[in-house]
Structure formats: structure tokens, C-alpha cells
Amino acid sequence: CEVVQKEFSLSPIVVSAKTREGIPALREAIARAVPEGFEAASITQGLVREGDTVLLVMPQDIQAPKGRLILPQVQTIRDLLDRRCTVVSVTADRLEPALRALKAPPALIITDSQCFGMVHRVKPDETPLTSFSVLFAAYKGDIRAYVEGAAAIDQLTAQSRVLIAEACTHAPLQEDIGRVKIPRALRKRFGESLRVDICAGVDFPVDLTPYDLVIHCGGCMFNRRYVLSRIQQAQAQGVPMTNYGVALAKLTGILDQIVLP
């Protein structure tokens, strides 16, 4: 270490694969090395090509802000337009008429995660399906880590404890996806005594070990560096972590049937 510091003016991190010494410090150093504001190359990278028709299913219910679209929807539309795709947007109740109006099945359907089950039932067999939250799981975080973390859902019990982590500090509405729908789905499957805690904004626990699973939102209000640091924190403490879209796909039983960026 002294030689490296002297010769190269660098501070090495000593890591042992055997004892795991230094691995948390290495993870932190990697997270710090990601440039501020760094994002993946494209929200829909690898899923669409120029000229594709992409159908967006966007419920405008009580959760949707009045008079505007939410940020992930706006950013996804802009990404698709930049990739010279044809974008068709519908509410969930207009999905089937929209599909009938198209001359050919869309190249991709992107839905709100809460509509996964319904959209999957009626979509054309040849059209791949994903969600805004799943896209942002890759754009803002680590989609592979989230999919691995979702496997922990099968191990939950009525005595488990789950943390729901929201990036923004919005006032929760009726049928809020993080505060109502996901906890309800978990308790329906594992029992009403399953404990669900909520954190919002930067109020993220330092110690995650009391939890059996962390379910994070899409992270549209955070930069990728910060979201990755949360994933690495959970991994360092041995706590599985997934995100809203991946968790809902898992709970709906279609995680293996949706496309990942």
C-alpha cells in the first residue's frame, strides 16, 4: 500500500475474497466513482428500433397528478421520440380499443406496474411487455440486482418485515402504489401480520438488517449514483432489495414473461 501511494499517489483498497475484508469499502469507492448525474444510455435501450410503434398504458386515476403526466412517463415518451418511434398513449380502459385500431401489434407495450396483470391478459402474444418502473429500475439502478432481490418475496412469511422506500416526499393519495397497493398485495399473500415500514426522500435507514426485503420506487427523483449506493448498502448488509415494478411483476406471477432493458 505504501509503495502504491508513494509511486502513483493513489490510495489502494485492500480486499480479501477469503475474509471479505475491504469489500464494503470497495463498494463505496465504486459508487463514489460513478459521475454525478450519470444515467444509462437510454431508458428503452435494447427494446425498440427506429420506426417501431410503442403503446403506453397510463392510468389517469386518483393517483395521477391533475393536468400533467408523471416524470417517468414524460421521460419515456421523450426517449421514444428521440429514437424515432411512433408513440401511442392510452388509459387502461382504452387498451383493447387501441389495440384493435392499430394495423399491426405494437412492437412494445409499456404499462404502469399496477396494471401488469390486466395488460398481460389482453395484449397480443407477440408483443413484449414491460413497465415504466421496470425501465427506471435499469435506468436509475441495477435491474439484475432487483430481479435477484425479488426472489426473496417467495421467502416472506407473516412474521416478515418489509421496507418500502420512496424517492419523493409526495402527499400519499388513495390507492397509493407504495403505501397501499404493494403492502396490500404482500399481506394478502403472506398474512395481515406482515409488517411494512415506509421511508421517503433521503430518510433511508442506515441499518437495514431488521428487514427481510427492501422495495424501492423507480427513483425518478434521484440520480443513478445515489440509487446505486442504496443498492450497494443493502447488498453489503445482506438484505435483498427490489423495486416497485419488479416486485409487482413477481407478485403477479409474470416476472419471467416481461422484457428487461
Side-chain angles (χ1 to χ4, degrees):
C1 292
E2 293 179 359
V3 173
V4 173
Q5 287 179 316
K6 183 178 180 180
E7 296 293 329
F8 301 100
S9 299
L10 297 173
S11 299
I13 299 173
V14 179
V15 176
S16 170
K18 183 177 182 180
T19 66
R20 301 188 65 80
E21 178 185 358
I23 290 180
L26 178 61
R27 287 195 178 108
E28 292 176 6
I30 292 173
R32 289 195 300 269
V34 178
E36 186 70 27
F38 171 78
E39 307 290 358
S42 167
I43 295 172
T44 58
Q45 183 175 10
L47 299 182
V48 297
R49 297 177 298 179
E50 181 176 335
D52 280 348
T53 296
V54 181
L55 180 61
L56 308 184
V57 183
M58 304 185 295
Q60 300 303 297
D61 52 20
I62 192 170
Q63 295 184 64
K66 187 175 181 180
R68 62 184 177 88
L69 300 176
I70 61 175
L71 185 59
Q73 295 170 348
V74 173
Q75 291 182 321
T76 301
I77 291 171
R78 177 55 193 266
D79 181 81
L80 290 168
L81 293 176
D82 287 344
R83 299 174 76 83
R84 301 184 64 78
C85 294
T86 300
V87 182
V88 179
S89 302
V90 296
T91 52
D93 60 310
R94 297 297 301 168
L95 173 58
E96 293 185 78
L99 289 170
R100 290 194 296 268
L102 294 174
K103 291 184 178 180
L108 176 69
I109 295 178
I110 305 172
T111 182
D112 190 292
S113 296
Q114 63 182 310
C115 298
F116 257 145
M118 181 275 292
V119 176
H120 185 265
R121 286 192 296 272
V122 303
K123 77 174 186 66
D125 292 339
E126 63 267 42
T127 300
L129 172 67
T130 190
S131 78
F132 296 100
S133 185
V134 169
L135 292 178
F136 271 75
Y139 187 56
K140 291 287 188 175
D142 184 339
I143 184 66
R144 307 303 165 188
Y146 285 147
V147 171
E148 291 177 4
I153 291 176
D154 291 331
Q155 309 304 318
L156 297 177
T157 69
Q159 287 70 49
S160 295
R161 187 177 179 185
V162 176
L163 176 67
I164 303 289
E166 299 177 338
C168 55
T169 54
H170 67 282
L173 301 172
Q174 293 180 16
E175 295 300 300
D176 185 90
I177 188 170
R179 295 172 181 258
V180 178
K181 290 191 173 182
I182 291 178
R184 183 169 61 204
L186 290 171
R187 290 183 176 124
K188 181 179 180 180
R189 179 167 173 179
F190 300 106
E192 289 297 321
S193 61
L194 180 140
R195 178 173 172 180
V196 178
D197 296 338
I198 309 289
C199 70
V202 296
D203 185 22
F204 193 68
V206 174
D207 182 10
L208 298 173
T209 56
Y211 297 102
D212 300 288
L213 177 66
V214 177
I215 305 178
H216 207 286
C217 70
C220 64
M221 301 303 293
F222 290 154
N223 62 48
R224 190 166 189 243
R225 176 179 179 177
Y226 186 63
V227 176
L228 288 173
S229 72
R230 287 191 169 185
I231 295 172
Q232 289 155 0
Q233 177 186 340
Q235 289 175 334
Q237 297 181 30
V239 179
M241 183 172 177
T242 188
N243 97 321
Y244 284 12
V246 178
L248 285 169
K250 175 71 173 177
L251 288 166
T252 309
I254 62 170
L255 180 55
D256 61 341
Q257 300 175 54
I258 64 172
V259 293
L260 305 176

